[in-house]
Amino acid sequence: MQRRFPTVADLEKAFAEWRVTFDDPTNDEIPDIEGFCDFIGAWRDLLCEYEKMSEYTDAVKKIKNWIFKNKKQLALRNKMNPAIFIFDAKNNSGYVDKTEQDITTAGEKLPGVDGSVVDAFIANVKNGQKSA
């Protein structure tokens, strides 16, 4: 596969060229991944593929960070709809409203609990008895 950006420096150069367009006070565009991809004549999936390539990972993360930082500044200054910002932060930047915990035993039984304990508990509940 021939890469659109043969080197990380090529990708960083394209980003720098896009980034300066936001220095123009007449540019009212809000920076986003799709806008950058449009600028380089690509699609979002391509940038995601570059992010998976170890040599490009940091460059893509820096691009995404710059975009998110600017959106956040717009939101903090009431120049971006807060609901849109929150939706975007959750869907494009990995933010969540709450702490998410994944507690798993990877298929193993919980320590100190075997099937007989659970079965006895269920039988007691069905019979209207209090558990031990």
Side-chain angles (χ1 to χ4, degrees), residues 27-76:
N27 181 0
D28 62 352
E29 182 180 348
I30 294 174
D32 62 9
I33 296 294
E34 293 79 9
F36 175 60
C37 289
D38 186 55
F39 180 81
I40 62 174
W43 53 98
R44 180 186 180 94
D45 293 349
L46 179 70
L47 196 63
C48 293
E49 288 300 316
Y50 271 91
E51 188 173 20
K52 293 175 188 174
M53 294 182 233
S54 61
E55 67 269 30
Y56 289 87
T57 299
D58 284 347
V60 174
K61 285 184 177 185
K62 286 177 184 176
I63 291 168
K64 288 181 170 185
N65 188 69
W66 184 86
I67 290 169
F68 185 75
K69 174 196 76 153
N70 281 277
K71 287 180 181 178
K72 185 175 179 181
Q73 290 301 312
L74 289 169
L76 291 171

mmCIF file of all heavy atoms in Angstrom, residues 27-76:
data_model
loop_
_atom_site.group_PDB
_atom_site.id
_atom_site.type_symbol
_atom_site.label_atom_id
_atom_site.label_comp_id
_atom_site.label_asym_id
_atom_site.label_seq_id
_atom_site.Cartn_x
_atom_site.Cartn_y
_atom_site.Cartn_z
ATOM 1 N N ASN A 27 -12.081 32.957 8.913
ATOM 2 C CA ASN A 27 -12.376 31.524 8.912
ATOM 3 C C ASN A 27 -13.195 31.212 10.161
ATOM 4 O O ASN A 27 -12.681 31.227 11.272
ATOM 5 C CB ASN A 27 -11.087 30.706 8.894
ATOM 6 C CG ASN A 27 -11.350 29.208 8.866
ATOM 7 O OD1 ASN A 27 -12.490 28.756 8.870
ATOM 8 N ND2 ASN A 27 -10.277 28.435 8.853
ATOM 9 N N ASP A 28 -14.470 30.927 9.976
ATOM 10 C CA ASP A 28 -15.330 30.636 11.126
ATOM 11 C C ASP A 28 -15.553 29.128 11.305
ATOM 12 O O ASP A 28 -16.411 28.707 12.075
ATOM 13 C CB ASP A 28 -16.664 31.378 11.019
ATOM 14 C CG ASP A 28 -17.473 30.974 9.796
ATOM 15 O OD1 ASP A 28 -16.948 30.235 8.939
ATOM 16 O OD2 ASP A 28 -18.636 31.398 9.699
ATOM 17 N N GLU A 29 -14.766 28.331 10.605
ATOM 18 C CA GLU A 29 -14.864 26.879 10.721
ATOM 19 C C GLU A 29 -14.352 26.431 12.092
ATOM 20 O O GLU A 29 -13.385 26.971 12.622
ATOM 21 C CB GLU A 29 -14.025 26.223 9.623
ATOM 22 C CG GLU A 29 -14.091 24.723 9.615
ATOM 23 C CD GLU A 29 -13.248 24.105 8.500
ATOM 24 O OE1 GLU A 29 -12.791 24.826 7.606
ATOM 25 O OE2 GLU A 29 -13.057 22.886 8.547
ATOM 26 N N ILE A 30 -15.021 25.452 12.671
ATOM 27 C CA ILE A 30 -14.565 24.847 13.923
ATOM 28 C C ILE A 30 -13.673 23.675 13.556
ATOM 29 O O ILE A 30 -14.070 22.822 12.757
ATOM 30 C CB ILE A 30 -15.755 24.394 14.794
ATOM 31 C CG1 ILE A 30 -16.547 25.614 15.249
ATOM 32 C CG2 ILE A 30 -15.280 23.577 15.983
ATOM 33 C CD1 ILE A 30 -17.827 25.294 15.988
ATOM 34 N N PRO A 31 -12.450 23.627 14.093
ATOM 35 C CA PRO A 31 -11.558 22.528 13.724
ATOM 36 C C PRO A 31 -12.132 21.177 14.132
ATOM 37 O O PRO A 31 -12.653 21.026 15.235
ATOM 38 C CB PRO A 31 -10.272 22.823 14.493
ATOM 39 C CG PRO A 31 -10.545 23.947 15.402
ATOM 40 C CD PRO A 31 -11.885 24.518 15.089
ATOM 41 N N ASP A 32 -12.052 20.234 13.220
ATOM 42 C CA ASP A 32 -12.449 18.865 13.535
ATOM 43 C C ASP A 32 -11.703 17.900 12.623
ATOM 44 O O ASP A 32 -11.069 18.304 11.657
ATOM 45 C CB ASP A 32 -13.959 18.669 13.463
ATOM 46 C CG ASP A 32 -14.561 18.905 12.100
ATOM 47 O OD1 ASP A 32 -13.818 19.074 11.117
ATOM 48 O OD2 ASP A 32 -15.795 18.913 11.997
ATOM 49 N N ILE A 33 -11.768 16.641 12.990
ATOM 50 C CA ILE A 33 -11.047 15.601 12.242
ATOM 51 C C ILE A 33 -11.488 15.588 10.776
ATOM 52 O O ILE A 33 -10.664 15.521 9.866
ATOM 53 C CB ILE A 33 -11.291 14.207 12.875
ATOM 54 C CG1 ILE A 33 -10.722 14.147 14.277
ATOM 55 C CG2 ILE A 33 -10.727 13.090 12.001
ATOM 56 C CD1 ILE A 33 -9.233 14.240 14.373
ATOM 57 N N GLU A 34 -12.793 15.670 10.569
ATOM 58 C CA GLU A 34 -13.302 15.629 9.202
ATOM 59 C C GLU A 34 -12.811 16.822 8.382
ATOM 60 O O GLU A 34 -12.533 16.685 7.195
ATOM 61 C CB GLU A 34 -14.838 15.561 9.203
ATOM 62 C CG GLU A 34 -15.391 14.265 9.764
ATOM 63 C CD GLU A 34 -15.400 14.179 11.294
ATOM 64 O OE1 GLU A 34 -15.140 15.186 11.972
ATOM 65 O OE2 GLU A 34 -15.660 13.079 11.793
ATOM 66 N N GLY A 35 -12.709 17.979 9.025
ATOM 67 C CA GLY A 35 -12.199 19.158 8.334
ATOM 68 C C GLY A 35 -10.757 18.965 7.898
ATOM 69 O O GLY A 35 -10.372 19.322 6.780
ATOM 70 N N PHE A 36 -9.943 18.392 8.796
ATOM 71 C CA PHE A 36 -8.550 18.113 8.442
ATOM 72 C C PHE A 36 -8.487 17.094 7.312
ATOM 73 O O PHE A 36 -7.730 17.262 6.350
ATOM 74 C CB PHE A 36 -7.755 17.633 9.657
ATOM 75 C CG PHE A 36 -6.345 17.228 9.325
ATOM 76 C CD1 PHE A 36 -5.460 18.137 8.771
ATOM 77 C CD2 PHE A 36 -5.912 15.940 9.548
ATOM 78 C CE1 PHE A 36 -4.155 17.768 8.441
ATOM 79 C CE2 PHE A 36 -4.619 15.546 9.225
ATOM 80 C CZ PHE A 36 -3.739 16.471 8.675
ATOM 81 N N CYS A 37 -9.293 16.043 7.420
ATOM 82 C CA CYS A 37 -9.291 15.010 6.383
ATOM 83 C C CYS A 37 -9.724 15.590 5.035
ATOM 84 O O CYS A 37 -9.154 15.249 3.997
ATOM 85 C CB CYS A 37 -10.182 13.840 6.789
ATOM 86 S SG CYS A 37 -9.467 12.882 8.138
ATOM 87 N N ASP A 38 -10.706 16.469 5.061
ATOM 88 C CA ASP A 38 -11.146 17.124 3.831
ATOM 89 C C ASP A 38 -9.999 17.949 3.246
ATOM 90 O O ASP A 38 -9.765 17.944 2.038
ATOM 91 C CB ASP A 38 -12.367 17.996 4.109
ATOM 92 C CG ASP A 38 -12.956 18.586 2.854
ATOM 93 O OD1 ASP A 38 -13.284 17.814 1.930
ATOM 94 O OD2 ASP A 38 -13.077 19.821 2.784
ATOM 95 N N PHE A 39 -9.271 18.640 4.087
ATOM 96 C CA PHE A 39 -8.149 19.471 3.661
ATOM 97 C C PHE A 39 -7.074 18.637 2.964
ATOM 98 O O PHE A 39 -6.491 19.074 1.971
ATOM 99 C CB PHE A 39 -7.553 20.200 4.874
ATOM 100 C CG PHE A 39 -6.396 21.093 4.549
ATOM 101 C CD1 PHE A 39 -6.592 22.368 4.037
ATOM 102 C CD2 PHE A 39 -5.084 20.660 4.762
ATOM 103 C CE1 PHE A 39 -5.514 23.197 3.735
ATOM 104 C CE2 PHE A 39 -4.000 21.476 4.478
ATOM 105 C CZ PHE A 39 -4.218 22.744 3.953
ATOM 106 N N ILE A 40 -6.814 17.436 3.472
ATOM 107 C CA ILE A 40 -5.764 16.590 2.884
ATOM 108 C C ILE A 40 -6.302 15.659 1.797
ATOM 109 O O ILE A 40 -5.561 14.856 1.239
ATOM 110 C CB ILE A 40 -5.017 15.769 3.967
ATOM 111 C CG1 ILE A 40 -5.956 14.810 4.704
ATOM 112 C CG2 ILE A 40 -4.269 16.688 4.916
ATOM 113 C CD1 ILE A 40 -5.260 13.870 5.672
ATOM 114 N N GLY A 41 -7.608 15.780 1.511
ATOM 115 C CA GLY A 41 -8.201 14.954 0.466
ATOM 116 C C GLY A 41 -8.330 13.495 0.869
ATOM 117 O O GLY A 41 -8.150 12.595 0.048
ATOM 118 N N ALA A 42 -8.637 13.271 2.139
ATOM 119 C CA ALA A 42 -8.734 11.905 2.654
ATOM 120 C C ALA A 42 -10.064 11.744 3.372
ATOM 121 O O ALA A 42 -10.943 12.594 3.284
ATOM 122 C CB ALA A 42 -7.575 11.615 3.589
ATOM 123 N N TRP A 43 -10.204 10.684 4.071
ATOM 124 C CA TRP A 43 -11.398 10.408 4.857
ATOM 125 C C TRP A 43 -10.958 10.028 6.264
ATOM 126 O O TRP A 43 -9.804 9.685 6.507
ATOM 127 C CB TRP A 43 -12.246 9.312 4.216
ATOM 128 C CG TRP A 43 -11.470 8.054 3.926
ATOM 129 C CD1 TRP A 43 -11.419 6.931 4.693
ATOM 130 C CD2 TRP A 43 -10.606 7.798 2.824
ATOM 131 N NE1 TRP A 43 -10.580 5.996 4.146
ATOM 132 C CE2 TRP A 43 -10.061 6.512 2.984
ATOM 133 C CE3 TRP A 43 -10.213 8.554 1.705
ATOM 134 C CZ2 TRP A 43 -9.170 5.940 2.076
ATOM 135 C CZ3 TRP A 43 -9.323 7.980 0.804
ATOM 136 C CH2 TRP A 43 -8.825 6.697 1.001
ATOM 137 N N ARG A 44 -11.875 10.098 7.173
ATOM 138 C CA ARG A 44 -11.604 9.859 8.594
ATOM 139 C C ARG A 44 -10.944 8.500 8.836
ATOM 140 O O ARG A 44 -10.021 8.386 9.630
ATOM 141 C CB ARG A 44 -12.922 9.970 9.377
ATOM 142 C CG ARG A 44 -12.792 9.756 10.828
ATOM 143 C CD ARG A 44 -14.174 9.737 11.495
ATOM 144 N NE ARG A 44 -14.017 9.528 12.899
ATOM 145 C CZ ARG A 44 -13.953 10.488 13.796
ATOM 146 N NH1 ARG A 44 -14.051 11.745 13.443
ATOM 147 N NH2 ARG A 44 -13.788 10.213 15.063
ATOM 148 N N ASP A 45 -11.425 7.473 8.149
ATOM 149 C CA ASP A 45 -10.879 6.130 8.343
ATOM 150 C C ASP A 45 -9.381 6.077 8.058
ATOM 151 O O ASP A 45 -8.650 5.332 8.705
ATOM 152 C CB ASP A 45 -11.599 5.116 7.456
ATOM 153 C CG ASP A 45 -13.053 4.921 7.852
ATOM 154 O OD1 ASP A 45 -13.449 5.403 8.934
ATOM 155 O OD2 ASP A 45 -13.793 4.293 7.080
ATOM 156 N N LEU A 46 -8.933 6.846 7.061
ATOM 157 C CA LEU A 46 -7.514 6.845 6.725
ATOM 158 C C LEU A 46 -6.689 7.363 7.899
ATOM 159 O O LEU A 46 -5.669 6.773 8.264
ATOM 160 C CB LEU A 46 -7.243 7.685 5.482
ATOM 161 C CG LEU A 46 -5.765 7.747 5.079
ATOM 162 C CD1 LEU A 46 -5.300 6.404 4.545
ATOM 163 C CD2 LEU A 46 -5.540 8.837 4.043
ATOM 164 N N LEU A 47 -7.151 8.445 8.519
ATOM 165 C CA LEU A 47 -6.423 8.990 9.660
ATOM 166 C C LEU A 47 -6.414 7.987 10.811
ATOM 167 O O LEU A 47 -5.402 7.819 11.499
ATOM 168 C CB LEU A 47 -7.032 10.319 10.103
ATOM 169 C CG LEU A 47 -6.154 11.167 11.013
ATOM 170 C CD1 LEU A 47 -4.880 11.597 10.311
ATOM 171 C CD2 LEU A 47 -6.908 12.379 11.512
ATOM 172 N N CYS A 48 -7.517 7.281 11.004
ATOM 173 C CA CYS A 48 -7.575 6.247 12.046
ATOM 174 C C CYS A 48 -6.597 5.115 11.739
ATOM 175 O O CYS A 48 -5.982 4.565 12.663
ATOM 176 C CB CYS A 48 -8.999 5.710 12.183
ATOM 177 S SG CYS A 48 -10.163 6.924 12.821
ATOM 178 N N GLU A 49 -6.442 4.777 10.479
ATOM 179 C CA GLU A 49 -5.470 3.750 10.098
ATOM 180 C C GLU A 49 -4.049 4.219 10.384
ATOM 181 O O GLU A 49 -3.214 3.456 10.858
ATOM 182 C CB GLU A 49 -5.618 3.374 8.618
ATOM 183 C CG GLU A 49 -6.867 2.571 8.328
ATOM 184 C CD GLU A 49 -6.923 1.257 9.100
ATOM 185 O OE1 GLU A 49 -5.904 0.556 9.178
ATOM 186 O OE2 GLU A 49 -8.009 0.951 9.643
ATOM 187 N N TYR A 50 -3.765 5.478 10.106
ATOM 188 C CA TYR A 50 -2.435 6.029 10.424
ATOM 189 C C TYR A 50 -2.180 5.970 11.930
ATOM 190 O O TYR A 50 -1.069 5.686 12.362
ATOM 191 C CB TYR A 50 -2.309 7.473 9.926
ATOM 192 C CG TYR A 50 -1.806 7.566 8.501
ATOM 193 C CD1 TYR A 50 -2.690 7.596 7.430
ATOM 194 C CD2 TYR A 50 -0.445 7.624 8.235
ATOM 195 C CE1 TYR A 50 -2.230 7.675 6.132
ATOM 196 C CE2 TYR A 50 0.026 7.708 6.934
ATOM 197 C CZ TYR A 50 -0.867 7.725 5.884
ATOM 198 O OH TYR A 50 -0.406 7.795 4.591
ATOM 199 N N GLU A 51 -3.209 6.231 12.719
ATOM 200 C CA GLU A 51 -3.041 6.221 14.176
ATOM 201 C C GLU A 51 -2.632 4.827 14.665
ATOM 202 O O GLU A 51 -1.927 4.701 15.659
ATOM 203 C CB GLU A 51 -4.327 6.666 14.858
ATOM 204 C CG GLU A 51 -4.183 6.856 16.345
ATOM 205 C CD GLU A 51 -5.412 7.461 16.989
ATOM 206 O OE1 GLU A 51 -6.509 7.405 16.386
ATOM 207 O OE2 GLU A 51 -5.279 7.999 18.098
ATOM 208 N N LYS A 52 -3.034 3.792 13.958
ATOM 209 C CA LYS A 52 -2.694 2.422 14.339
ATOM 210 C C LYS A 52 -1.243 2.066 13.992
ATOM 211 O O LYS A 52 -0.708 1.111 14.518
ATOM 212 C CB LYS A 52 -3.635 1.428 13.661
ATOM 213 C CG LYS A 52 -5.067 1.522 14.142
ATOM 214 C CD LYS A 52 -5.950 0.586 13.345
ATOM 215 C CE LYS A 52 -7.416 0.802 13.667
ATOM 216 N NZ LYS A 52 -8.283 0.003 12.787
ATOM 217 N N MET A 53 -0.636 2.836 13.090
ATOM 218 C CA MET A 53 0.761 2.574 12.707
ATOM 219 C C MET A 53 1.674 3.236 13.740
ATOM 220 O O MET A 53 1.608 4.450 13.938
ATOM 221 C CB MET A 53 1.049 3.133 11.314
ATOM 222 C CG MET A 53 0.304 2.453 10.205
ATOM 223 S SD MET A 53 0.781 3.170 8.616
ATOM 224 C CE MET A 53 -0.816 3.580 7.942
ATOM 225 N N SER A 54 2.496 2.434 14.375
ATOM 226 C CA SER A 54 3.282 2.921 15.524
ATOM 227 C C SER A 54 4.069 4.195 15.232
ATOM 228 O O SER A 54 4.142 5.084 16.084
ATOM 229 C CB SER A 54 4.216 1.824 16.035
ATOM 230 O OG SER A 54 5.123 1.431 15.028
ATOM 231 N N GLU A 55 4.626 4.317 14.043
ATOM 232 C CA GLU A 55 5.433 5.509 13.762
ATOM 233 C C GLU A 55 4.588 6.772 13.610
ATOM 234 O O GLU A 55 5.087 7.884 13.754
ATOM 235 C CB GLU A 55 6.336 5.297 12.536
ATOM 236 C CG GLU A 55 5.597 5.149 11.216
ATOM 237 C CD GLU A 55 5.240 3.712 10.843
ATOM 238 O OE1 GLU A 55 5.024 2.875 11.739
ATOM 239 O OE2 GLU A 55 5.166 3.434 9.647
ATOM 240 N N TYR A 56 3.284 6.620 13.350
ATOM 241 C CA TYR A 56 2.394 7.770 13.161
ATOM 242 C C TYR A 56 1.518 8.067 14.381
ATOM 243 O O TYR A 56 0.874 9.111 14.442
ATOM 244 C CB TYR A 56 1.479 7.549 11.950
ATOM 245 C CG TYR A 56 2.182 7.610 10.623
ATOM 246 C CD1 TYR A 56 2.779 6.476 10.075
ATOM 247 C CD2 TYR A 56 2.251 8.791 9.909
ATOM 248 C CE1 TYR A 56 3.431 6.522 8.849
ATOM 249 C CE2 TYR A 56 2.894 8.854 8.681
ATOM 250 C CZ TYR A 56 3.488 7.714 8.163
ATOM 251 O OH TYR A 56 4.133 7.761 6.956
ATOM 252 N N THR A 57 1.484 7.153 15.341
ATOM 253 C CA THR A 57 0.555 7.270 16.470
ATOM 254 C C THR A 57 0.668 8.612 17.175
ATOM 255 O O THR A 57 -0.338 9.294 17.392
ATOM 256 C CB THR A 57 0.776 6.120 17.475
ATOM 257 O OG1 THR A 57 0.523 4.887 16.809
ATOM 258 C CG2 THR A 57 -0.148 6.243 18.670
ATOM 259 N N ASP A 58 1.869 9.006 17.549
ATOM 260 C CA ASP A 58 2.033 10.274 18.281
ATOM 261 C C ASP A 58 1.576 11.469 17.454
ATOM 262 O O ASP A 58 0.929 12.386 17.973
ATOM 263 C CB ASP A 58 3.480 10.467 18.719
ATOM 264 C CG ASP A 58 3.850 9.606 19.910
ATOM 265 O OD1 ASP A 58 2.941 9.045 20.559
ATOM 266 O OD2 ASP A 58 5.057 9.487 20.197
ATOM 267 N N ALA A 59 1.909 11.474 16.176
ATOM 268 C CA ALA A 59 1.521 12.603 15.318
ATOM 269 C C ALA A 59 0.003 12.725 15.233
ATOM 270 O O ALA A 59 -0.546 13.828 15.350
ATOM 271 C CB ALA A 59 2.122 12.429 13.921
ATOM 272 N N VAL A 60 -0.684 11.609 15.059
ATOM 273 C CA VAL A 60 -2.145 11.646 14.957
ATOM 274 C C VAL A 60 -2.752 12.075 16.290
ATOM 275 O O VAL A 60 -3.691 12.875 16.325
ATOM 276 C CB VAL A 60 -2.719 10.294 14.480
ATOM 277 C CG1 VAL A 60 -4.237 10.301 14.527
ATOM 278 C CG2 VAL A 60 -2.229 9.969 13.074
ATOM 279 N N LYS A 61 -2.204 11.575 17.389
ATOM 280 C CA LYS A 61 -2.716 11.983 18.710
ATOM 281 C C LYS A 61 -2.521 13.479 18.941
ATOM 282 O O LYS A 61 -3.382 14.144 19.516
ATOM 283 C CB LYS A 61 -2.054 11.166 19.812
ATOM 284 C CG LYS A 61 -2.586 9.754 19.874
ATOM 285 C CD LYS A 61 -1.992 8.989 21.034
ATOM 286 C CE LYS A 61 -2.617 7.605 21.097
ATOM 287 N NZ LYS A 61 -2.185 6.854 22.257
ATOM 288 N N LYS A 62 -1.408 14.018 18.483
ATOM 289 C CA LYS A 62 -1.170 15.469 18.615
ATOM 290 C C LYS A 62 -2.181 16.258 17.786
ATOM 291 O O LYS A 62 -2.670 17.297 18.221
ATOM 292 C CB LYS A 62 0.255 15.817 18.204
ATOM 293 C CG LYS A 62 1.284 15.392 19.224
ATOM 294 C CD LYS A 62 2.689 15.694 18.743
ATOM 295 C CE LYS A 62 3.719 15.165 19.729
ATOM 296 N NZ LYS A 62 5.082 15.345 19.249
ATOM 297 N N ILE A 63 -2.488 15.757 16.608
ATOM 298 C CA ILE A 63 -3.494 16.410 15.756
ATOM 299 C C ILE A 63 -4.845 16.402 16.462
ATOM 300 O O ILE A 63 -5.506 17.439 16.581
ATOM 301 C CB ILE A 63 -3.586 15.712 14.384
ATOM 302 C CG1 ILE A 63 -2.307 15.956 13.582
ATOM 303 C CG2 ILE A 63 -4.826 16.164 13.613
ATOM 304 C CD1 ILE A 63 -2.166 15.082 12.344
ATOM 305 N N LYS A 64 -5.242 15.231 16.946
ATOM 306 C CA LYS A 64 -6.525 15.120 17.648
ATOM 307 C C LYS A 64 -6.557 15.986 18.897
ATOM 308 O O LYS A 64 -7.580 16.605 19.217
ATOM 309 C CB LYS A 64 -6.803 13.658 18.019
ATOM 310 C CG LYS A 64 -7.157 12.791 16.839
ATOM 311 C CD LYS A 64 -7.442 11.371 17.303
ATOM 312 C CE LYS A 64 -8.037 10.514 16.222
ATOM 313 N NZ LYS A 64 -8.400 9.179 16.733
ATOM 314 N N ASN A 65 -5.441 16.047 19.616
ATOM 315 C CA ASN A 65 -5.375 16.865 20.828
ATOM 316 C C ASN A 65 -5.537 18.347 20.500
ATOM 317 O O ASN A 65 -6.267 19.068 21.181
ATOM 318 C CB ASN A 65 -4.054 16.623 21.555
ATOM 319 C CG ASN A 65 -4.028 17.295 22.900
ATOM 320 O OD1 ASN A 65 -4.739 16.892 23.804
ATOM 321 N ND2 ASN A 65 -3.208 18.329 23.029
ATOM 322 N N TRP A 66 -4.873 18.814 19.437
ATOM 323 C CA TRP A 66 -4.993 20.224 19.044
ATOM 324 C C TRP A 66 -6.436 20.548 18.680
ATOM 325 O O TRP A 66 -6.975 21.575 19.083
ATOM 326 C CB TRP A 66 -4.063 20.534 17.869
ATOM 327 C CG TRP A 66 -4.092 21.982 17.500
ATOM 328 C CD1 TRP A 66 -3.341 22.979 18.040
ATOM 329 C CD2 TRP A 66 -4.949 22.605 16.530
ATOM 330 N NE1 TRP A 66 -3.676 24.185 17.458
ATOM 331 C CE2 TRP A 66 -4.660 23.978 16.528
ATOM 332 C CE3 TRP A 66 -5.926 22.123 15.673
ATOM 333 C CZ2 TRP A 66 -5.311 24.871 15.699
ATOM 334 C CZ3 TRP A 66 -6.584 23.017 14.843
ATOM 335 C CH2 TRP A 66 -6.276 24.387 14.862
ATOM 336 N N ILE A 67 -7.064 19.647 17.942
ATOM 337 C CA ILE A 67 -8.462 19.855 17.550
ATOM 338 C C ILE A 67 -9.351 19.921 18.790
ATOM 339 O O ILE A 67 -10.165 20.843 18.933
ATOM 340 C CB ILE A 67 -8.926 18.740 16.586
ATOM 341 C CG1 ILE A 67 -8.226 18.915 15.232
ATOM 342 C CG2 ILE A 67 -10.440 18.735 16.437
ATOM 343 C CD1 ILE A 67 -8.408 17.738 14.291
ATOM 344 N N PHE A 68 -9.190 18.962 19.708
ATOM 345 C CA PHE A 68 -10.027 18.940 20.913
ATOM 346 C C PHE A 68 -9.780 20.170 21.782
ATOM 347 O O PHE A 68 -10.722 20.764 22.296
ATOM 348 C CB PHE A 68 -9.789 17.660 21.718
ATOM 349 C CG PHE A 68 -10.712 17.561 22.895
ATOM 350 C CD1 PHE A 68 -12.044 17.238 22.716
ATOM 351 C CD2 PHE A 68 -10.269 17.832 24.172
ATOM 352 C CE1 PHE A 68 -12.913 17.171 23.794
ATOM 353 C CE2 PHE A 68 -11.125 17.767 25.253
ATOM 354 C CZ PHE A 68 -12.448 17.437 25.063
ATOM 355 N N LYS A 69 -8.522 20.560 21.922
ATOM 356 C CA LYS A 69 -8.193 21.746 22.728
ATOM 357 C C LYS A 69 -8.933 22.972 22.200
ATOM 358 O O LYS A 69 -9.498 23.759 22.969
ATOM 359 C CB LYS A 69 -6.681 21.993 22.696
ATOM 360 C CG LYS A 69 -6.263 23.287 23.397
ATOM 361 C CD LYS A 69 -4.868 23.701 23.020
ATOM 362 C CE LYS A 69 -4.895 24.294 21.647
ATOM 363 N NZ LYS A 69 -3.876 25.245 21.325
ATOM 364 N N ASN A 70 -8.961 23.132 20.891
ATOM 365 C CA ASN A 70 -9.634 24.292 20.311
ATOM 366 C C ASN A 70 -11.143 24.225 20.481
ATOM 367 O O ASN A 70 -11.777 25.251 20.756
ATOM 368 C CB ASN A 70 -9.238 24.430 18.841
ATOM 369 C CG ASN A 70 -7.872 25.067 18.721
ATOM 370 O OD1 ASN A 70 -7.751 26.279 18.772
ATOM 371 N ND2 ASN A 70 -6.834 24.251 18.618
ATOM 372 N N LYS A 71 -11.711 23.047 20.350
ATOM 373 C CA LYS A 71 -13.147 22.912 20.587
ATOM 374 C C LYS A 71 -13.481 23.233 22.040
ATOM 375 O O LYS A 71 -14.485 23.887 22.338
ATOM 376 C CB LYS A 71 -13.616 21.497 20.256
ATOM 377 C CG LYS A 71 -13.661 21.188 18.788
ATOM 378 C CD LYS A 71 -14.134 19.769 18.589
ATOM 379 C CE LYS A 71 -14.185 19.385 17.150
ATOM 380 N NZ LYS A 71 -14.602 17.983 16.976
ATOM 381 N N LYS A 72 -12.641 22.760 22.943
ATOM 382 C CA LYS A 72 -12.872 23.015 24.368
ATOM 383 C C LYS A 72 -12.815 24.509 24.659
ATOM 384 O O LYS A 72 -13.651 25.037 25.398
ATOM 385 C CB LYS A 72 -11.829 22.265 25.193
ATOM 386 C CG LYS A 72 -12.046 22.373 26.681
ATOM 387 C CD LYS A 72 -11.031 21.505 27.406
ATOM 388 C CE LYS A 72 -11.215 21.605 28.903
ATOM 389 N NZ LYS A 72 -10.225 20.778 29.619
ATOM 390 N N GLN A 73 -11.858 25.214 24.074
ATOM 391 C CA GLN A 73 -11.764 26.657 24.275
ATOM 392 C C GLN A 73 -13.004 27.369 23.735
ATOM 393 O O GLN A 73 -13.516 28.297 24.362
ATOM 394 C CB GLN A 73 -10.487 27.206 23.606
ATOM 395 C CG GLN A 73 -9.214 26.783 24.308
ATOM 396 C CD GLN A 73 -9.168 27.230 25.754
ATOM 397 O OE1 GLN A 73 -9.443 28.384 26.080
ATOM 398 N NE2 GLN A 73 -8.833 26.306 26.642
ATOM 399 N N LEU A 74 -13.492 26.918 22.594
ATOM 400 C CA LEU A 74 -14.721 27.509 22.047
ATOM 401 C C LEU A 74 -15.895 27.272 22.993
ATOM 402 O O LEU A 74 -16.697 28.172 23.246
ATOM 403 C CB LEU A 74 -15.020 26.919 20.668
ATOM 404 C CG LEU A 74 -14.083 27.339 19.543
ATOM 405 C CD1 LEU A 74 -14.337 26.481 18.298
ATOM 406 C CD2 LEU A 74 -14.254 28.816 19.219
ATOM 407 N N ALA A 75 -15.993 26.050 23.522
ATOM 408 C CA ALA A 75 -17.090 25.727 24.445
ATOM 409 C C ALA A 75 -16.992 26.560 25.715
ATOM 410 O O ALA A 75 -18.001 27.076 26.209
ATOM 411 C CB ALA A 75 -17.079 24.239 24.772
ATOM 412 N N LEU A 76 -15.793 26.712 26.241
ATOM 413 C CA LEU A 76 -15.609 27.487 27.475
ATOM 414 C C LEU A 76 -15.932 28.964 27.283
ATOM 415 O O LEU A 76 -16.295 29.651 28.228
ATOM 416 C CB LEU A 76 -14.182 27.320 27.997
ATOM 417 C CG LEU A 76 -13.850 25.929 28.546
ATOM 418 C CD1 LEU A 76 -12.351 25.806 28.818
ATOM 419 C CD2 LEU A 76 -14.647 25.639 29.809
#
